[in-house]
Amino acid sequence: YVSPVTKTLELRYRQAFRPGTVSFEGAISRDTLEPDETRAYLFGTGAFRLPRDYILSFDVKLTSDDSYLIDYGYSSEDRLESEVAIERVRSEEFIRTRAIGLRTLRDSETDIQDEIPAVVTDAIWNRRFEVFGGRGGLTFAAHAHVRESSDDDVGRDVARISGSFDWARSWEFGPGLLATTR
């Protein structure tokens, strides 16, 4: 697209592979709003099958500056989350680990960007099974987020690990009555 105020090249790329797919869209511009800057954005998604029923997926959202997406009407998002994850879902098991990169485009948060978590990581393992005549579950989870600021007075870096066990058993009585213990 060429006009007196901008020269913009938009792109879109999609491809299917045997184990998965990728899709990208983006644009690159030179304009009169930021005369000495090359402005751009790139959004992409993909998912690939891995051995042992695992899935690798990603979702990437990048922009050159805080106002490019809204100036050109590409997106009204005011926070960009980019994520890469590996997971496996089976009838009795769920496993997921992921890392998320965060970037705010909000004017009110630009000055405190280094106080907002820049990277968030999660991992979870959940297993369901039959035990003592009921259904049991075992879950282990880990979470962490870090911010770019090294100042201890504002914001916090956080890391936690948790685990839980649950169990439930139900009995049916008479005309549609159900009793459950947990």
Side-chain angles (χ1 to χ4, degrees):
Y1 179 82
V2 178
S3 78
V5 293
T6 186
K7 293 172 183 61
T8 299
L9 175 66
E10 296 179 343
L11 64 97
R12 183 172 181 192
Y13 174 80
R14 299 181 309 160
Q15 186 166 355
F17 304 93
R18 278 198 177 108
T21 62
V22 295
S23 176
F24 292 96
E25 66 180 53
I28 186 165
S29 302
R30 296 288 291 201
D31 59 31
T32 58
L33 293 172
E34 302 285 341
D36 298 325
E37 300 288 328
T38 298
R39 305 173 78 198
Y41 90 98
L42 179 68
F43 287 1
T45 60
F48 292 91
R49 291 183 309 275
L50 299 175
R52 300 181 61 195
D53 300 324
Y54 284 96
I55 302 288
L56 168 68
S57 62
F58 67 87
D59 184 4
V60 176
K61 294 181 180 175
L62 304 169
T63 186
S64 60
D65 60 80
D66 294 349
S67 62
Y68 183 70
L69 297 173
I70 199 80
D71 286 347
Y72 282 81
Y74 291 123
S75 174
S76 61
E77 290 187 56
D78 58 358
R79 284 189 177 158
L80 300 182
E81 294 184 15
S82 295
E83 176 181 318
V84 62
I86 296 176
E87 66 182 21
R88 178 171 72 186
V89 179
R90 292 182 171 170
S91 62
E92 302 295 328
E93 180 183 57
F94 173 70
I95 299 170
R96 178 179 64 198
T97 182
R98 66 183 180 161
I100 303 167
L102 301 169
R103 177 178 174 193
T104 185
L105 305 178
R106 296 176 181 176
D107 289 338
S108 63
E109 295 176 343
T110 302
D111 293 337
I112 60 167
Q113 174 70 42
D114 63 342
E115 298 169 23
I116 297 171
V119 177
V120 175
T121 58
D122 286 309
I124 188 168
W125 176 81
N126 177 269
R127 178 83 176 157
R128 308 297 297 166
F129 47 86
E130 299 287 331
V131 61
F132 305 125
R135 296 279 295 156
L138 186 59
T139 302
F140 293 101
H143 169 88
H145 62 261
V146 296
R147 60 199 165 79
E148 295 176 359
S149 175
S150 59
D151 187 355
D152 286 336
D153 295 335
V154 289
R156 293 284 182 258
D157 295 339
V158 173
R160 72 172 178 260
I161 297 174
S162 62
S164 65
F165 172 78
D166 63 82
W167 175 82
R169 183 172 179 185
S170 298
W171 297 268
E172 292 182 29
F173 298 100
L177 296 176
L178 182 67
T180 301
T181 184
R182 294 181 181 267

